mmCIF file with all atom_site columns, all heavy atoms in Angstrom:
data_model
loop_
_atom_site.group_PDB
_atom_site.id
_atom_site.type_symbol
_atom_site.label_atom_id
_atom_site.label_alt_id
_atom_site.label_comp_id
_atom_site.label_asym_id
_atom_site.label_entity_id
_atom_site.label_seq_id
_atom_site.pdbx_PDB_ins_code
_atom_site.Cartn_x
_atom_site.Cartn_y
_atom_site.Cartn_z
_atom_site.occupancy
_atom_site.B_iso_or_equiv
_atom_site.pdbx_formal_charge
_atom_site.auth_seq_id
_atom_site.auth_comp_id
_atom_site.auth_asym_id
_atom_site.auth_atom_id
_atom_site.pdbx_PDB_model_num
ATOM   1   N N   . MET A 1 12  ? 8.759  -6.315  -17.782 1.00 96.00 ? 976  MET A N   1
ATOM   2   C CA  . MET A 1 12  ? 9.017  -7.167  -18.938 1.00 96.00 ? 976  MET A CA  1
ATOM   3   C C   . MET A 1 12  ? 10.443 -6.939  -19.402 1.00 96.00 ? 976  MET A C   1
ATOM   4   O O   . MET A 1 12  ? 10.977 -5.840  -19.257 1.00 96.00 ? 976  MET A O   1
ATOM   5   C CB  . MET A 1 12  ? 8.057  -6.776  -20.060 1.00 96.00 ? 976  MET A CB  1
ATOM   6   C CG  . MET A 1 12  ? 7.248  -7.917  -20.573 1.00 96.00 ? 976  MET A CG  1
ATOM   7   S SD  . MET A 1 12  ? 6.322  -7.459  -22.013 1.00 96.00 ? 976  MET A SD  1
ATOM   8   C CE  . MET A 1 12  ? 4.699  -7.396  -21.339 1.00 96.00 ? 976  MET A CE  1
ATOM   9   N N   . THR A 1 19  ? 5.395  -10.297 -28.885 1.00 96.00 ? 983  THR A N   1
ATOM   10  C CA  . THR A 1 19  ? 4.399  -11.017 -29.686 1.00 96.00 ? 983  THR A CA  1
ATOM   11  C C   . THR A 1 19  ? 2.988  -10.662 -29.232 1.00 96.00 ? 983  THR A C   1
ATOM   12  O O   . THR A 1 19  ? 2.797  -10.039 -28.189 1.00 96.00 ? 983  THR A O   1
ATOM   13  C CB  . THR A 1 19  ? 4.560  -12.543 -29.526 1.00 96.00 ? 983  THR A CB  1
ATOM   14  O OG1 . THR A 1 19  ? 4.165  -12.872 -28.187 1.00 96.00 ? 983  THR A OG1 1
ATOM   15  C CG2 . THR A 1 19  ? 5.993  -13.004 -29.756 1.00 96.00 ? 983  THR A CG2 1
ATOM   16  N N   . GLY A 1 21  ? 1.100  -12.719 -27.993 1.00 93.00 ? 985  GLY A N   1
ATOM   17  C CA  . GLY A 1 21  ? 0.971  -13.383 -26.684 1.00 93.00 ? 985  GLY A CA  1
ATOM   18  C C   . GLY A 1 21  ? 1.330  -12.428 -25.559 1.00 93.00 ? 985  GLY A C   1
ATOM   19  O O   . GLY A 1 21  ? 0.615  -12.320 -24.563 1.00 93.00 ? 985  GLY A O   1
ATOM   20  N N   . ASN A 1 22  ? 2.423  -11.704 -25.716 1.00 92.00 ? 986  ASN A N   1
ATOM   21  C CA  . ASN A 1 22  ? 2.824  -10.721 -24.700 1.00 92.00 ? 986  ASN A CA  1
ATOM   22  C C   . ASN A 1 22  ? 1.762  -9.641  -24.544 1.00 92.00 ? 986  ASN A C   1
ATOM   23  O O   . ASN A 1 22  ? 1.493  -9.177  -23.440 1.00 92.00 ? 986  ASN A O   1
ATOM   24  C CB  . ASN A 1 22  ? 4.139  -10.030 -25.079 1.00 92.00 ? 986  ASN A CB  1
ATOM   25  C CG  . ASN A 1 22  ? 5.313  -10.983 -25.184 1.00 92.00 ? 986  ASN A CG  1
ATOM   26  O OD1 . ASN A 1 22  ? 6.003  -11.029 -26.190 1.00 92.00 ? 986  ASN A OD1 1
ATOM   27  N ND2 . ASN A 1 22  ? 5.539  -11.763 -24.144 1.00 92.00 ? 986  ASN A ND2 1
ATOM   28  N N   . GLY A 1 25  ? -1.666 -11.434 -23.284 1.00 88.00 ? 989  GLY A N   1
ATOM   29  C CA  . GLY A 1 25  ? -1.471 -12.084 -21.989 1.00 88.00 ? 989  GLY A CA  1
ATOM   30  C C   . GLY A 1 25  ? -0.965 -11.157 -20.908 1.00 88.00 ? 989  GLY A C   1
ATOM   31  O O   . GLY A 1 25  ? -1.149 -11.415 -19.717 1.00 88.00 ? 989  GLY A O   1
ATOM   32  N N   . ALA A 1 26  ? -0.315 -10.066 -21.286 1.00 90.00 ? 990  ALA A N   1
ATOM   33  C CA  . ALA A 1 26  ? 0.264  -9.197  -20.268 1.00 90.00 ? 990  ALA A CA  1
ATOM   34  C C   . ALA A 1 26  ? -0.148 -7.737  -20.461 1.00 90.00 ? 990  ALA A C   1
ATOM   35  O O   . ALA A 1 26  ? -0.960 -7.211  -19.690 1.00 90.00 ? 990  ALA A O   1
ATOM   36  C CB  . ALA A 1 26  ? 1.782  -9.338  -20.275 1.00 90.00 ? 990  ALA A CB  1
ATOM   37  N N   . VAL A 1 148 ? 1.477  -11.698 -13.483 1.00 89.00 ? 1112 VAL A N   1
ATOM   38  C CA  . VAL A 1 148 ? 2.538  -12.499 -14.113 1.00 89.00 ? 1112 VAL A CA  1
ATOM   39  C C   . VAL A 1 148 ? 1.932  -13.674 -14.855 1.00 89.00 ? 1112 VAL A C   1
ATOM   40  O O   . VAL A 1 148 ? 0.804  -14.081 -14.583 1.00 89.00 ? 1112 VAL A O   1
ATOM   41  C CB  . VAL A 1 148 ? 3.540  -13.095 -13.087 1.00 89.00 ? 1112 VAL A CB  1
ATOM   42  C CG1 . VAL A 1 148 ? 4.551  -12.086 -12.631 1.00 89.00 ? 1112 VAL A CG1 1
ATOM   43  C CG2 . VAL A 1 148 ? 2.826  -13.754 -11.918 1.00 89.00 ? 1112 VAL A CG2 1
ATOM   44  N N   . GLY A 1 149 ? 2.686  -14.220 -15.749 1.00 82.00 ? 1113 GLY A N   1
ATOM   45  C CA  . GLY A 1 149 ? 2.282  -15.443 -16.433 1.00 82.00 ? 1113 GLY A CA  1
ATOM   46  C C   . GLY A 1 149 ? 2.569  -16.632 -15.517 1.00 82.00 ? 1113 GLY A C   1
ATOM   47  O O   . GLY A 1 149 ? 3.268  -16.503 -14.511 1.00 82.00 ? 1113 GLY A O   1
ATOM   48  N N   . LYS A 1 150 ? 2.039  -17.778 -15.924 1.00 81.00 ? 1114 LYS A N   1
ATOM   49  C CA  . LYS A 1 150 ? 2.200  -19.002 -15.108 1.00 81.00 ? 1114 LYS A CA  1
ATOM   50  C C   . LYS A 1 150 ? 3.672  -19.314 -14.861 1.00 81.00 ? 1114 LYS A C   1
ATOM   51  O O   . LYS A 1 150 ? 4.050  -19.783 -13.806 1.00 81.00 ? 1114 LYS A O   1
ATOM   52  C CB  . LYS A 1 150 ? 1.551  -20.178 -15.836 1.00 81.00 ? 1114 LYS A CB  1
ATOM   53  C CG  . LYS A 1 150 ? 0.047  -20.219 -15.703 1.00 81.00 ? 1114 LYS A CG  1
ATOM   54  C CD  . LYS A 1 150 ? -0.437 -21.676 -15.716 1.00 81.00 ? 1114 LYS A CD  1
ATOM   55  C CE  . LYS A 1 150 ? -1.940 -21.760 -15.578 1.00 81.00 ? 1114 LYS A CE  1
ATOM   56  N NZ  . LYS A 1 150 ? -2.651 -21.547 -16.845 1.00 81.00 ? 1114 LYS A NZ  1
ATOM   57  N N   . ASP A 1 151 ? 4.502  -19.035 -15.889 1.00 84.00 ? 1115 ASP A N   1
ATOM   58  C CA  . ASP A 1 151 ? 5.922  -19.372 -15.780 1.00 84.00 ? 1115 ASP A CA  1
ATOM   59  C C   . ASP A 1 151 ? 6.636  -18.586 -14.678 1.00 84.00 ? 1115 ASP A C   1
ATOM   60  O O   . ASP A 1 151 ? 7.721  -18.958 -14.257 1.00 84.00 ? 1115 ASP A O   1
ATOM   61  C CB  . ASP A 1 151 ? 6.620  -19.136 -17.133 1.00 84.00 ? 1115 ASP A CB  1
ATOM   62  C CG  . ASP A 1 151 ? 6.448  -17.711 -17.631 1.00 84.00 ? 1115 ASP A CG  1
ATOM   63  O OD1 . ASP A 1 151 ? 5.403  -17.096 -17.346 1.00 84.00 ? 1115 ASP A OD1 1
ATOM   64  O OD2 . ASP A 1 151 ? 7.365  -17.203 -18.306 1.00 84.00 ? 1115 ASP A OD2 1
ATOM   65  N N   . GLY A 1 185 ? -6.947 -14.274 -22.545 1.00 49.00 ? 1149 GLY A N   1
ATOM   66  C CA  . GLY A 1 185 ? -5.680 -14.369 -23.258 1.00 49.00 ? 1149 GLY A CA  1
ATOM   67  C C   . GLY A 1 185 ? -4.558 -14.889 -22.392 1.00 49.00 ? 1149 GLY A C   1
ATOM   68  O O   . GLY A 1 185 ? -3.397 -14.571 -22.605 1.00 49.00 ? 1149 GLY A O   1
ATOM   69  N N   . ALA A 1 186 ? -4.920 -15.690 -21.363 1.00 63.00 ? 1150 ALA A N   1
ATOM   70  C CA  . ALA A 1 186 ? -3.910 -16.130 -20.406 1.00 63.00 ? 1150 ALA A CA  1
ATOM   71  C C   . ALA A 1 186 ? -2.786 -16.900 -21.103 1.00 63.00 ? 1150 ALA A C   1
ATOM   72  O O   . ALA A 1 186 ? -1.640 -16.772 -20.743 1.00 63.00 ? 1150 ALA A O   1
ATOM   73  C CB  . ALA A 1 186 ? -4.543 -16.970 -19.329 1.00 63.00 ? 1150 ALA A CB  1
ATOM   74  N N   . SER A 1 187 ? -3.127 -17.672 -22.099 1.00 85.00 ? 1151 SER A N   1
ATOM   75  C CA  . SER A 1 187 ? -2.061 -18.374 -22.800 1.00 85.00 ? 1151 SER A CA  1
ATOM   76  C C   . SER A 1 187 ? -2.371 -18.479 -24.284 1.00 85.00 ? 1151 SER A C   1
ATOM   77  O O   . SER A 1 187 ? -3.211 -19.269 -24.717 1.00 85.00 ? 1151 SER A O   1
ATOM   78  C CB  . SER A 1 187 ? -1.839 -19.751 -22.193 1.00 85.00 ? 1151 SER A CB  1
ATOM   79  O OG  . SER A 1 187 ? -0.704 -20.311 -22.798 1.00 85.00 ? 1151 SER A OG  1
ATOM   80  N N   . ILE A 1 188 ? -1.682 -17.690 -25.058 1.00 93.00 ? 1152 ILE A N   1
ATOM   81  C CA  . ILE A 1 188 ? -1.820 -17.728 -26.506 1.00 93.00 ? 1152 ILE A CA  1
ATOM   82  C C   . ILE A 1 188 ? -0.778 -18.720 -27.018 1.00 93.00 ? 1152 ILE A C   1
ATOM   83  O O   . ILE A 1 188 ? 0.374  -18.699 -26.589 1.00 93.00 ? 1152 ILE A O   1
ATOM   84  C CB  . ILE A 1 188 ? -1.570 -16.313 -27.100 1.00 93.00 ? 1152 ILE A CB  1
ATOM   85  C CG1 . ILE A 1 188 ? -2.543 -15.284 -26.504 1.00 93.00 ? 1152 ILE A CG1 1
ATOM   86  C CG2 . ILE A 1 188 ? -1.629 -16.331 -28.622 1.00 93.00 ? 1152 ILE A CG2 1
ATOM   87  C CD1 . ILE A 1 188 ? -4.009 -15.537 -26.769 1.00 93.00 ? 1152 ILE A CD1 1
ATOM   88  N N   . LYS A 1 197 ? 3.476  -22.530 -26.205 1.00 91.00 ? 1161 LYS A N   1
ATOM   89  C CA  . LYS A 1 197 ? 2.972  -21.151 -26.139 1.00 91.00 ? 1161 LYS A CA  1
ATOM   90  C C   . LYS A 1 197 ? 3.652  -20.281 -27.200 1.00 91.00 ? 1161 LYS A C   1
ATOM   91  O O   . LYS A 1 197 ? 4.769  -20.580 -27.628 1.00 91.00 ? 1161 LYS A O   1
ATOM   92  C CB  . LYS A 1 197 ? 3.149  -20.573 -24.733 1.00 91.00 ? 1161 LYS A CB  1
ATOM   93  C CG  . LYS A 1 197 ? 4.553  -20.199 -24.352 1.00 91.00 ? 1161 LYS A CG  1
ATOM   94  C CD  . LYS A 1 197 ? 4.558  -19.299 -23.107 1.00 91.00 ? 1161 LYS A CD  1
ATOM   95  C CE  . LYS A 1 197 ? 5.904  -18.627 -22.971 1.00 91.00 ? 1161 LYS A CE  1
ATOM   96  N NZ  . LYS A 1 197 ? 5.955  -17.502 -22.092 1.00 91.00 ? 1161 LYS A NZ  1
ATOM   97  N N   . MET A 1 198 ? 2.940  -19.251 -27.617 1.00 94.00 ? 1162 MET A N   1
ATOM   98  C CA  . MET A 1 198 ? 3.551  -18.302 -28.554 1.00 94.00 ? 1162 MET A CA  1
ATOM   99  C C   . MET A 1 198 ? 4.654  -17.589 -27.787 1.00 94.00 ? 1162 MET A C   1
ATOM   100 O O   . MET A 1 198 ? 4.423  -17.099 -26.682 1.00 94.00 ? 1162 MET A O   1
ATOM   101 C CB  . MET A 1 198 ? 2.512  -17.298 -29.049 1.00 94.00 ? 1162 MET A CB  1
ATOM   102 C CG  . MET A 1 198 ? 3.037  -16.373 -30.128 1.00 94.00 ? 1162 MET A CG  1
ATOM   103 S SD  . MET A 1 198 ? 1.812  -15.169 -30.690 1.00 94.00 ? 1162 MET A SD  1
ATOM   104 C CE  . MET A 1 198 ? 0.745  -16.130 -31.706 1.00 94.00 ? 1162 MET A CE  1
ATOM   105 N N   . SER A 1 199 ? 5.849  -17.539 -28.365 1.00 90.00 ? 1163 SER A N   1
ATOM   106 C CA  . SER A 1 199 ? 6.973  -17.024 -27.599 1.00 90.00 ? 1163 SER A CA  1
ATOM   107 C C   . SER A 1 199 ? 7.888  -16.200 -28.497 1.00 90.00 ? 1163 SER A C   1
ATOM   108 O O   . SER A 1 199 ? 8.104  -16.550 -29.660 1.00 90.00 ? 1163 SER A O   1
ATOM   109 C CB  . SER A 1 199 ? 7.713  -18.222 -27.006 1.00 90.00 ? 1163 SER A CB  1
ATOM   110 O OG  . SER A 1 199 ? 9.041  -17.907 -26.760 1.00 90.00 ? 1163 SER A OG  1
ATOM   111 N N   . LYS A 1 200 ? 8.414  -15.111 -27.947 1.00 88.00 ? 1164 LYS A N   1
ATOM   112 C CA  . LYS A 1 200 ? 9.229  -14.247 -28.800 1.00 88.00 ? 1164 LYS A CA  1
ATOM   113 C C   . LYS A 1 200 ? 10.557 -14.886 -29.185 1.00 88.00 ? 1164 LYS A C   1
ATOM   114 O O   . LYS A 1 200 ? 11.197 -14.455 -30.125 1.00 88.00 ? 1164 LYS A O   1
ATOM   115 C CB  . LYS A 1 200 ? 9.414  -12.855 -28.184 1.00 88.00 ? 1164 LYS A CB  1
ATOM   116 C CG  . LYS A 1 200 ? 9.896  -12.774 -26.760 1.00 88.00 ? 1164 LYS A CG  1
ATOM   117 C CD  . LYS A 1 200 ? 9.968  -11.311 -26.347 1.00 88.00 ? 1164 LYS A CD  1
ATOM   118 C CE  . LYS A 1 200 ? 9.609  -11.028 -24.916 1.00 88.00 ? 1164 LYS A CE  1
ATOM   119 N NZ  . LYS A 1 200 ? 10.567 -11.496 -23.918 1.00 88.00 ? 1164 LYS A NZ  1
ATOM   120 N N   . SER A 1 201 ? 10.943 -15.929 -28.462 1.00 84.00 ? 1165 SER A N   1
ATOM   121 C CA  . SER A 1 201 ? 12.212 -16.565 -28.824 1.00 84.00 ? 1165 SER A CA  1
ATOM   122 C C   . SER A 1 201 ? 12.023 -17.777 -29.747 1.00 84.00 ? 1165 SER A C   1
ATOM   123 O O   . SER A 1 201 ? 12.974 -18.496 -30.021 1.00 84.00 ? 1165 SER A O   1
ATOM   124 C CB  . SER A 1 201 ? 12.974 -16.958 -27.559 1.00 84.00 ? 1165 SER A CB  1
ATOM   125 O OG  . SER A 1 201 ? 12.162 -17.746 -26.736 1.00 84.00 ? 1165 SER A OG  1
HETATM 126 P P1  . LIG B 2 .   ? 10.817 -15.709 -24.174 1.00 60.40 ? 1262 LIG B P1  1
HETATM 127 O O1  . LIG B 2 .   ? 10.450 -16.362 -25.468 1.00 60.40 ? 1262 LIG B O1  1
HETATM 128 O O2  . LIG B 2 .   ? 12.014 -14.823 -24.258 1.00 60.40 ? 1262 LIG B O2  1
HETATM 129 O O3  . LIG B 2 .   ? 10.796 -16.635 -23.004 1.00 60.40 ? 1262 LIG B O3  1
HETATM 130 P P2  . LIG B 2 .   ? 8.131  -14.797 -23.865 1.00 60.40 ? 1262 LIG B P2  1
HETATM 131 O O4  . LIG B 2 .   ? 7.554  -14.364 -25.167 1.00 60.40 ? 1262 LIG B O4  1
HETATM 132 O O5  . LIG B 2 .   ? 7.754  -16.144 -23.375 1.00 60.40 ? 1262 LIG B O5  1
HETATM 133 O O6  . LIG B 2 .   ? 9.680  -14.652 -23.901 1.00 60.40 ? 1262 LIG B O6  1
HETATM 134 P P3  . LIG B 2 .   ? 8.268  -13.286 -21.383 1.00 60.40 ? 1262 LIG B P3  1
HETATM 135 O O7  . LIG B 2 .   ? 9.272  -12.197 -21.529 1.00 60.40 ? 1262 LIG B O7  1
HETATM 136 O O8  . LIG B 2 .   ? 8.655  -14.495 -20.611 1.00 60.40 ? 1262 LIG B O8  1
HETATM 137 O O9  . LIG B 2 .   ? 7.709  -13.703 -22.837 1.00 60.40 ? 1262 LIG B O9  1
HETATM 138 O O10 . LIG B 2 .   ? 6.942  -12.717 -20.769 1.00 60.40 ? 1262 LIG B O10 1
HETATM 139 C C1  . LIG B 2 .   ? 6.500  -11.410 -20.757 1.00 60.40 ? 1262 LIG B C1  1
HETATM 140 C C2  . LIG B 2 .   ? 5.054  -11.415 -20.329 1.00 60.40 ? 1262 LIG B C2  1
HETATM 141 O O11 . LIG B 2 .   ? 4.212  -11.878 -21.397 1.00 60.40 ? 1262 LIG B O11 1
HETATM 142 C C3  . LIG B 2 .   ? 4.760  -12.338 -19.150 1.00 60.40 ? 1262 LIG B C3  1
HETATM 143 O O12 . LIG B 2 .   ? 3.828  -11.701 -18.287 1.00 60.40 ? 1262 LIG B O12 1
HETATM 144 C C4  . LIG B 2 .   ? 4.151  -13.561 -19.794 1.00 60.40 ? 1262 LIG B C4  1
HETATM 145 O O13 . LIG B 2 .   ? 3.274  -14.233 -18.931 1.00 60.40 ? 1262 LIG B O13 1
HETATM 146 C C5  . LIG B 2 .   ? 3.423  -12.971 -20.983 1.00 60.40 ? 1262 LIG B C5  1
HETATM 147 N N1  . LIG B 2 .   ? 3.345  -13.933 -22.087 1.00 60.40 ? 1262 LIG B N1  1
HETATM 148 C C6  . LIG B 2 .   ? 4.380  -14.365 -22.826 1.00 60.40 ? 1262 LIG B C6  1
HETATM 149 N N2  . LIG B 2 .   ? 3.973  -15.243 -23.769 1.00 60.40 ? 1262 LIG B N2  1
HETATM 150 C C7  . LIG B 2 .   ? 2.640  -15.368 -23.621 1.00 60.40 ? 1262 LIG B C7  1
HETATM 151 C C8  . LIG B 2 .   ? 1.624  -16.130 -24.291 1.00 60.40 ? 1262 LIG B C8  1
HETATM 152 N N3  . LIG B 2 .   ? 1.920  -16.919 -25.313 1.00 60.40 ? 1262 LIG B N3  1
HETATM 153 N N4  . LIG B 2 .   ? 0.347  -16.010 -23.887 1.00 60.40 ? 1262 LIG B N4  1
HETATM 154 C C9  . LIG B 2 .   ? 0.038  -15.196 -22.877 1.00 60.40 ? 1262 LIG B C9  1
HETATM 155 N N5  . LIG B 2 .   ? 0.933  -14.452 -22.193 1.00 60.40 ? 1262 LIG B N5  1
HETATM 156 C C10 . LIG B 2 .   ? 2.219  -14.534 -22.544 1.00 60.40 ? 1262 LIG B C10 1
#
Side-chain angles (χ1 to χ4, degrees):
M976 235 188 252
T983 69
N986 298 126
V1112 281
K1114 281 212 180 82
D1115 57 328
S1151 187
I1152 302 298
K1161 74 165 196 164
M1162 186 181 284
S1163 155
K1164 51 182 144 70
S1165 54

